[in-house]
Amino acid sequence: MMKKWLLPALLLLSASQCALAAEILAYTPPFTADKQATAIEYQPLKTASKPWKLCAVYPHLKDSYWLSINYGMVKHAQALGVQLKVLESGGYPNLAKQERQLSDCRDWGADAIILGTVDSQAYKGNLSQFTGDIPVFATINSLDMGDANSAKNITAHVGVDWYEMGCKAGQFMAKRHPRGSGIVNVALLPGPLQRGGTKPVVKGFLDAVANSDINIVTTLWADNSKELQRNLIQQLFATGHDIDYIVGGAVATEVAISELRTNNMADQIKLVSTYLSHGVYRGLLRDKILFSPTDKMAQQAMLSVDQAVRYLEHKPLQRDLAPIVEGLTPDHLPKAVIAESLSPAEFRPVFSVGAP
């Protein structure tokens, strides 16, 4: 019974969640391979001294993951009284389009750019070609800070190590199927092959299940669109592989629910997601999905806006931040964690927040 009223309650909570102090991780030294995490109590700003112009560029808005990023940014920009211009690149393969959008941010006269890159290896030696001297704040997806130009132009970063997200899912699976308990077959559908955080996710998952009875039968890659992921799942069924689990990104896992039902396989194949979305959350509520980690997308978005305004106003700034990743199951769905993660159900993409 509790689950029936949980979602409406969460929607009320999420409207104010971004302004609350939260426990997060601060990394020092920032951006380094040997950085150390310290848990801190982070208090977001309540207002800005002027309506700064922030320009945010996302890889896409195809799924509710980036919709929740949009929500967190919009709500905090509105709360602070700053302007926000949002551009989305249409997908991870679209580096050239994202480059043009960064130039659009510069031409708009942005005071700061918040960049969710389509590729961690993008912009090597040329980020400033598109952004000029505008400070850039990396969000969600990391850029290679070993590149001198990126290191010079990236002021701060918010985001989890996607290796940890894959590791969390793998740890859940390894605990269910330890060595000697009996081999189970897993199909991996992590998302796009060359873009985003999918490769670290897969590495984290594989490392976590290395000493368990998890057998990876196949790994299938495609961009995070429902049509492409549905094609992969149908391809998987057509091969006749003996599958016990599908472990995939949120889009693949959402699509798998309906495909399993259509093929009368819902009792045969179990689902685990490597990140949270609205559809994955509903799947957890309905016991259709066993596990998903959350990297608290709305909270990350708030932190990126907060970092940018702190920098512009010469206020104390933590340059390398991350939420505390939490594993979710049908029996563990804390209201505060969901509110830090997902946009309300009625929220639609917002591409512009004007000055108050």
Side-chain angles (χ1 to χ4, degrees), residues 36 62 86 99 149 162 170 180 240 246 252 265 295 304 306 318:
Q36 299 297 311
K62 294 180 181 180
V86 173
E99 291 172 346
N149 189 264
W162 280 85
I246 294 174
M265 302 173 72
D295 56 331
S304 286
D306 212 68
Q318 297 278 357

Side-chain angles (χ1 to χ4, degrees), residues 42 53 100 353:
Y42 189 93
K53 298 174 72 173
R100 293 193 298 271
V353 174

Side-chain angles (χ1 to χ4, degrees), residues 95-107:
L95 175 58
K97 182 176 181 179
Q98 187 169 84
E99 291 172 346
R100 293 193 298 271
Q101 290 175 331
L102 290 175
S103 297
D104 291 343
C105 290
R106 182 192 61 208
D107 296 343

Side-chain angles (χ1 to χ4, degrees), residues 9 15 57 61-62 122 160 165 196 216 227 237-238 256:
V57 181
L61 272 167
K62 294 180 181 180
V160 302
M165 297 288 281
I216 309 301
E227 180 181 359
F237 293 163

Side-chain angles (χ1 to χ4, degrees), residues 48-70:
S49 64
K50 60 182 287 188
W52 301 102
K53 298 174 72 173
L54 310 184
C55 192
V57 181
Y58 308 156
H60 62 83
L61 272 167
K62 294 180 181 180
D63 61 33
S64 66
Y65 181 93
W66 283 97
L67 182 68
S68 295
I69 300 294
N70 184 232

